[in-house]
Amino acid sequence: MATAAARQTGGSVRVTLWILLIVYIFNFIDRQIVNILAEPIRLELGLSDTQIGLMTGLAFALFYTILGLPIARFSDRPTTHRPKLIAAALATWSAMTALCGMAQNFVQLLLARIGVGIGEAGCTPPAHSLIADMVEPKKRSSALAFYALGIPVGTLLGMMIGGLLADFVGWRRAFFIVGVPGVLLAIVVAWVLKEPRRHLTQAQAASNAQQTMPLGQAVRSVMGSKAFVLLLVAGSAAAFLAYGKTTWTTIFFQRTHGLTPGEVGFWFGVVNGAAGIAGTFLGGWLADRYGAENRRHVLTAPAVGMALAVPLAFLAYRADNWLFALTLLFLPTLFNSLYYGPTYSAAQGLVPLRARAIAAAVLLFFQNLIGLGLGPLFFGTLSDWLRPEFGEESVRYVLYGAAFLGLLPAFFFWRCSLRLNEELDQKD
């Protein structure tokens, strides 16, 4: 099979995974730094909570999701050099992050954030496709969970670095300082990462080209899996809550508990990042360990974890002491992070080989449009609506509701798990 032919030695795989992890860390630093900078930006530019939600979410996510599908389609072509595609995307979003610091009004900042979304659209679909080609199915959850560590690590660094920079040099310079290194990293990525398809013979490459699905057929193949559709709903609901809560929890600690951006960036960044790293790693390990015996257990941990997180998150948002609230947030954040590796791994195992990047793009399309695009915006609009009644405490009441909504992704992960023995890895 083409997959087996494309797989590399263990050392080559490790190098590739580490480089992709670093790229994904930069991806989330540049994506999430705006959350910790949102409050000083609001004060300087005079923005509403709805505008903050639009700036941190929908402006980025709309173009990120729209471009994700054609980029994934391009990535699935046997002639595409995926590492160079990832490098070009990295250079683009890093440059646009630096430009965010030059914005003089809401519209300019919105346009710069759109540019970040355009660049980041070219990262994960080819990265997932690359990993799926190089790693055997029984180790894929762990490999994709390792790549997904870029989410909590990047979020942690984005909050800590962004918060400290905001306190000491201001939000404008913060964008510039975190954006420029990514342009330099792009050069390294293009030079070091290898494309495993280049090791295929001409006959294998020609065979792969003939097997390439038309876009419509690829999308129909992906959406034809009932398990994938349930996974899509579960992952989108989880992302909606994760992005919404991350954005407004950082603001909650500034408004309700009176912390500075630097203090929130450090303390919330440490707790959120450490819990996210532990949960992401544990989720991938549990999926590989118990999913090997019974495929439905690939998604058991995400289903159970998100249900357990609900009461703990509510208690954290209700606490009056900020340090106690942060401590309580560790476990629900860990439980909510169990889904990353199993979700992306299952998505790759539920579709044909030549539709893998499309599967990743479809999942990311809905996760980011619904999650990143609408999560922060919905919670921000709800906060504006509640403000006349609750004042600065409006964010706290928004987060109460967000905590209880965690039961929705828990239910759909459980429903999807019931179909995995029938569908998972039947097309590899």
Side-chain angles (χ1 to χ4, degrees):
M1 292 178 64
T3 308
R7 289 180 187 135
Q8 307 295 293
T9 64
S12 177
V13 171
R14 284 192 292 272
V15 169
T16 298
L17 287 175
W18 273 104
I19 292 175
L20 290 177
L21 171 62
I22 294 170
V23 171
Y24 207 34
I25 289 171
F26 272 69
N27 182 297
F28 265 80
I29 289 175
D30 291 357
R31 184 185 308 192
Q32 296 291 347
I33 189 174
V34 71
N35 292 327
I36 197 65
L37 301 178
E39 192 66 1
I41 291 172
R42 179 185 75 91
L43 294 174
E44 180 175 331
L45 300 183
L47 307 183
S48 68
D49 283 355
T50 299
Q51 287 176 312
I52 290 176
L54 184 61
M55 171 193 71
T56 58
L58 191 60
F60 172 95
L62 189 61
F63 284 83
Y64 181 97
T65 54
I66 288 174
L67 290 174
L69 286 173
I71 289 176
R73 176 60 178 162
F74 179 72
S75 179
D76 272 336
R77 293 174 55 186
T79 55
T80 297
H81 195 291
R82 290 167 292 184
K84 290 183 179 178
L85 176 59
I86 293 168
L90 170 59
T92 300
W93 86 62
S94 298
M96 295 307 296
T97 297
L99 286 178
C100 287
M102 302 176 64
Q104 300 300 311
N105 54 54
F106 176 67
V107 173
Q108 291 178 4
L109 187 58
L110 204 66
L111 291 174
R113 286 290 295 168
I114 288 172
V116 176
I118 291 172
E120 293 199 5
C123 178
T124 294
H128 278 196
S129 175
L130 198 61
I131 293 169
D133 275 1
M134 298 179 72
V135 179
E136 56 187 322
K138 66 180 181 180
K139 296 181 179 179
R140 196 176 291 150
S141 288
S142 294
L144 286 168
F146 181 81
Y147 171 74
L149 285 173
I151 299 173
V153 174
T155 299
L156 163 63
L157 293 177
M159 287 185 179
M160 292 182 66
I161 295 170
L164 290 172
L165 290 174
D167 281 357
F168 289 102
V169 300
W171 65 269
R172 295 185 181 278
R173 290 183 181 177
F175 277 122
F176 184 80
I177 290 171
V178 301
V180 171
V183 178
L184 303 177
L185 177 62
I187 300 172
V188 176
V189 171
W191 180 60
V192 175
L193 272 189
K194 306 302 180 184
E195 171 57 73
R197 291 171 181 162
R198 299 184 69 180
H199 295 280
L200 300 177
T201 65
Q202 282 190 329
Q204 288 170 327
S207 175
N208 285 351
Q210 291 176 355
Q211 295 171 14
T212 301
M213 292 184 181
L215 178 58
Q217 182 183 347
V219 172
R220 286 192 299 272
S221 175
V222 168
M223 299 303 291
S225 166
K226 293 180 180 179
F228 185 89
V229 173
L230 288 167
L231 187 70
L232 197 61
V233 175
S236 299
F240 177 86
L241 297 174
Y243 284 118
K245 286 190 292 186
T246 297
T247 297
W248 290 101
T249 299
T250 61
I251 294 172
F252 165 71
F253 279 108
Q254 293 174 66
R255 290 189 191 173
T256 298
H257 293 291
L259 275 65
T260 69
E263 291 170 334
V264 175
F266 180 80
W267 292 110
F268 180 61
V270 167
V271 171
N272 192 67
I277 291 168
T280 300
F281 178 83
L282 183 61
W285 181 84
L286 289 171
D288 281 344
R289 169 66 178 83
Y290 295 100
E293 301 172 2
N294 186 331
R295 301 306 280 156
R296 66 173 293 182
H297 289 318
V298 168
L299 293 176
T300 296
V304 174
M306 291 200 166
L308 293 175
V310 171
L312 294 171
F314 176 80
L315 291 174
Y317 296 131
R318 196 172 186 274
D320 291 327
N321 180 277
W322 69 267
L323 192 56
F324 184 51
L326 274 173
T327 303
L328 285 175
L329 278 176
F330 182 87
L331 279 179
T333 303
L334 186 153
F335 291 147
N336 286 331
S337 301
L338 294 172
Y339 86 99
Y340 293 130
T343 297
Y344 296 131
S345 171
Q348 295 293 298
L350 290 169
V351 301
L353 172 66
R354 298 267 60 87
R356 279 178 172 164
I358 285 292
V362 169
L363 182 60
L364 289 167
F365 179 93
F366 285 95
Q367 278 196 303
N368 285 284
L369 185 61
I370 294 173
L372 180 56
L374 300 182
L377 178 60
F378 173 79
F379 293 145
T381 302
L382 188 57
S383 176
D384 278 338
W385 183 65
L386 294 175
R387 185 183 287 270
E389 179 71 21
F390 298 103
E392 293 295 292
E393 285 286 276
S394 62
V395 175
R396 187 199 293 267
Y397 286 89
V398 167
L399 292 172
Y400 284 162
F404 283 107
L405 285 173
L407 292 173
L408 287 177
F411 171 78
F412 284 105
F413 276 123
W414 170 71
R415 289 290 299 164
C416 180
S417 72
L418 301 180
R419 302 195 62 87
L420 294 188
N421 279 323
E422 178 184 347
E423 294 191 42
L424 191 60
D425 295 329
Q426 300 303 307
K427 302 175 182 180
D428 197 12

